[in-house]
């Protein structure tokens, strides 16, 4: 699991090179010719918005085309939001008004976001944890994190596939499979395990079918699929993001977190979705630790200077000599070059028990 986290954070440099997807369907995004949709970041999108080179409608149109083309093979989107284009139009309108001098808009304004299918939305979409059992059911209200995204001006693009019922449907089920969506496919190596349970959220970001997405994690459900699909993701401390309106496995462990192509994008999403929510008690304690001015102030090029990082290899990392191991070690060199002190080969006492869900008590909690 530690390897999964580290490789997801390191995957920035890994995920740029692979262009396995063709641009030939880029027909409806007509006048956005100057804008590079592939690997677009929130910053590049906001700059293009500001310079009138791109609208939210064009961006949403690009992703909808992309979903239509790629989803039959990648199976990462369960539903697109029938209101996505209307929401994009509204975001474009508000931006035009804001230009007239009425305040500034946030980083997520007009940005399309895909939600894991266990995150409730009170709109035309289903919330079903990938299962047919809840199809057609209504939720009483948006999840808190969805409320936050909407008020930040984000466009809710659709619902992502996931390991059905967080993989608890059966002990034998493959990761990334659900009845509604079928088997989610790793876009980089189609025969590889895409991992789960936030499978569709990671695949869609990796394949440029959306800008950013939300996943949820009990125990590696964000970091594992983001690792396997070469994107960025992390599990916020439990309680930083409200779980109200989201299906849970364990209130003591579950957390909602961002999935994106860059660390900066993950931080912009985190800034919007954290916060105190009376409907989730755990947010009361955690909210005290949210820094004034949010997290983006820590996105600094010299951010690693003076930091002490422990490296736990055993039993997480690949044996030395593999390609993954040598890339891992190159990243450690990068960390050192940016001023971090590394304490390598840390050993964790009783790691075998800690990692065994039936011996560490986790199975009982779940
Ligand atoms: C939600 O599920 C129902 C089927 O039960 C389906 O008719 C409807 O199209 C779904 N909503 C969307 C937006 O796909």
């Amino acid at each position: 699991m530690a390897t999964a986290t580290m490789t997801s954070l390191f995957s920035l440099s890994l995920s740029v090179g692979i262009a396995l997807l063709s641009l030939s369907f880029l027909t409806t995004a007509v006048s956005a010719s100057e804008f590079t949709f592939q690997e677009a970041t929130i910053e590049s999108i906001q700059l293009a918005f500001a310079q009138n080179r791109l609208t939210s409608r064009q961006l949403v149109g690009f992703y909808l085309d992309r979903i239509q083309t790629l989803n039959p093979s990648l199976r990462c989107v369960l539903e697109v939001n029938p209101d996505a284009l209307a929401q994009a139009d509204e975001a474009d309108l508000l931006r035009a008004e804001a230009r007239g001098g009425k305040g500034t808009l946030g980083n997520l304004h007009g940005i399309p976001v895909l939600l894991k299918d266990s995150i409730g939305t009170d709109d035309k979409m289903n919330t079903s944890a990938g299962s047919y059992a809840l199809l057609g059911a209504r939720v009483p209200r948006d999840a808190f994190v969805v409320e936050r995204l909407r008020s930040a001006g984000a466009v809710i693009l659709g619902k992502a596939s996931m390991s059905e019922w967080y993989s608890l449907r059966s002990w034998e089920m493959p990761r990334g499979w659900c009845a509604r969506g079928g088997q989610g496919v790793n876009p980089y190596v189609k025969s590889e395990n895409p991992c789960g349970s936030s499978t569709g959220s990671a695949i869609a970001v990796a394949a440029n079918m959306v800008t950013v997405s939300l996943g949820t994690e009990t125990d590696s459900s964000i970091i594992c699929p983001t690792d396997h699909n070469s994107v960025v993701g992390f599990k916020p401390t439990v309680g930083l993001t409200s779980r109200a309106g989201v299906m849970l496995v364990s209130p003591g462990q579950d957390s909602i977190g961002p999935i994106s192509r860059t660390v900066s994008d993950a931080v912009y999403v985190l800034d919007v979705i954290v916060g105190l929510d009376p409907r989730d008690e755990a947010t009361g304690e955690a909210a005290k630790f949210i820094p004034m001015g949010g997290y983006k102030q820590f996105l600094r090029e010299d951010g690693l200077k003076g930091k002490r990082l422990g490296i736990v290899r055993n039993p997480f990392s690949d044996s030395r000599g593999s390609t993954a191991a040598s890339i891992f070690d190159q990243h450690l060199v990068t960390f050192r070059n940016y001023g971090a002190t590394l304490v390598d080969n840390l050993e964790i006492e009783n790691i075998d028990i800690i990692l065994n869900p039936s011996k560490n008590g986790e199975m009982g909690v779940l």
Side-chain angles (χ1 to χ4, degrees):
M1 281 175 281
T3 307
T5 325
M6 307 212 119
T7 30
S8 349
L9 290 170
F10 296 157
S11 64
L12 286 178
S13 51
L14 300 178
S15 61
V16 278
I18 306 176
L20 42 85
L21 307 160
S22 107
L23 278 168
S24 57
F25 52 86
L26 222 165
T27 44
T28 62
V30 271
S31 63
S33 54
E34 294 297 301
F35 185 74
T36 307
F37 289 98
Q38 300 283 340
E39 311 298 85
T41 64
I42 289 175
E43 279 164 34
S44 75
I45 292 167
Q46 291 299 352
L47 183 67
F49 284 162
Q51 296 175 336
N52 270 326
R53 287 184 293 123
L54 179 71
T55 63
S56 294
R57 169 169 271 267
Q58 287 167 329
L59 186 62
V60 167
F62 169 80
Y63 289 135
L64 291 177
D65 274 5
R66 189 93 175 155
I67 290 168
Q68 202 169 20
T69 310
L70 296 179
N71 203 52
S73 56
L74 298 182
R75 299 177 172 278
C76 54
V77 177
L78 292 180
E79 290 184 8
V80 295
N81 185 357
D83 293 327
L85 281 170
Q87 287 176 13
D89 286 341
E90 203 186 314
D92 287 334
L93 196 68
L94 276 172
R95 190 179 313 107
E97 284 174 14
R99 269 201 195 106
K102 283 177 256 155
T104 50
L105 302 169
N107 289 307
L108 290 197
H109 188 88
I111 300 292
V113 182
L114 192 70
L115 306 172
K116 188 174 183 174
D117 193 42
S118 55
I119 299 174
T121 53
D122 183 18
D123 53 16
K124 291 175 188 154
M125 290 190 290
N126 295 286
T127 304
S128 76
S131 168
Y132 282 115
L134 288 181
L135 212 52
R138 306 277 321 173
V139 297
R141 66 185 75 82
D142 281 334
F144 176 85
V145 291
V146 175
E147 265 173 36
R148 283 298 184 92
L149 288 170
R150 289 196 207 275
S151 49
V155 173
I156 307 299
L157 189 68
K159 290 287 176 74
S161 71
M162 58 185 281
S163 308
E164 187 166 329
W165 299 119
Y166 300 102
S167 289
L168 294 172
R169 185 183 195 269
S170 126
W171 297 124
E172 281 84 40
M173 63 180 283
R175 296 294 176 260
W177 181 89
C178 64
R180 285 186 65 200
Q183 178 61 53
V185 172
N186 187 320
Y188 286 108
V189 184
K190 291 188 167 187
S191 57
E192 276 295 315
N193 174 8
C195 203
S197 65
S198 304
T199 315
S201 303
I203 295 171
V205 168
N208 287 289
M209 293 156 82
V210 70
T211 311
V212 290
S213 65
L214 292 190
T216 75
E217 169 157 335
T218 307
D219 178 350
S220 79
S221 277
I222 291 175
I223 60 175
C224 189
T226 52
D227 168 41
H228 285 229
N229 294 287
S230 288
V231 289
V232 175
F234 60 88
K235 177 186 188 178
T237 302
V238 172
L240 268 186
T241 51
S242 166
R243 288 79 53 80
V246 181
M247 290 179 223
L248 296 184
V249 178
S250 155
Q253 281 184 231
D254 287 15
S255 184
I256 322 303
I259 295 179
S260 58
R261 290 184 289 269
T262 68
V263 172
S264 302
D265 284 359
V267 170
Y268 295 138
V269 174
L270 185 72
D271 269 336
V272 166
I273 62 174
V274 295
L276 185 65
D277 175 13
R279 292 188 197 277
D280 182 352
E281 268 178 32
T283 59
E285 188 56 32
K288 296 176 198 155
F289 296 98
I290 299 171
M292 288 272 281
Y295 294 95
K296 53 180 167 287
Q297 60 188 301
F298 304 114
L299 289 170
R300 298 199 325 247
E301 280 191 30
D302 64 352
L304 281 171
K305 204 171 265 170
K307 296 290 187 299
R308 237 171 108 79
L309 305 178
I311 314 299
V312 182
R313 294 178 186 264
N314 175 40
F316 304 112
S317 60
D318 291 325
S319 57
R320 294 182 183 242
S322 71
T323 308
S326 75
I327 290 171
F328 186 85
D329 285 336
Q330 279 169 33
H331 288 307
L332 299 185
V333 172
T334 305
F335 276 5
R336 282 199 190 91
N337 290 344
Y338 278 83
T341 302
L342 303 189
V343 185
D344 207 345
N345 292 307
L346 283 181
E347 294 284 338
I348 296 178
E349 226 175 298
N350 297 323
I351 189 71
D352 296 344
I353 295 172
I354 292 169
L355 289 179
N356 185 332
S358 47
K359 289 193 179 148
N360 65 14
E362 186 182 15
M363 232 47 232
V365 172
L366 300 190

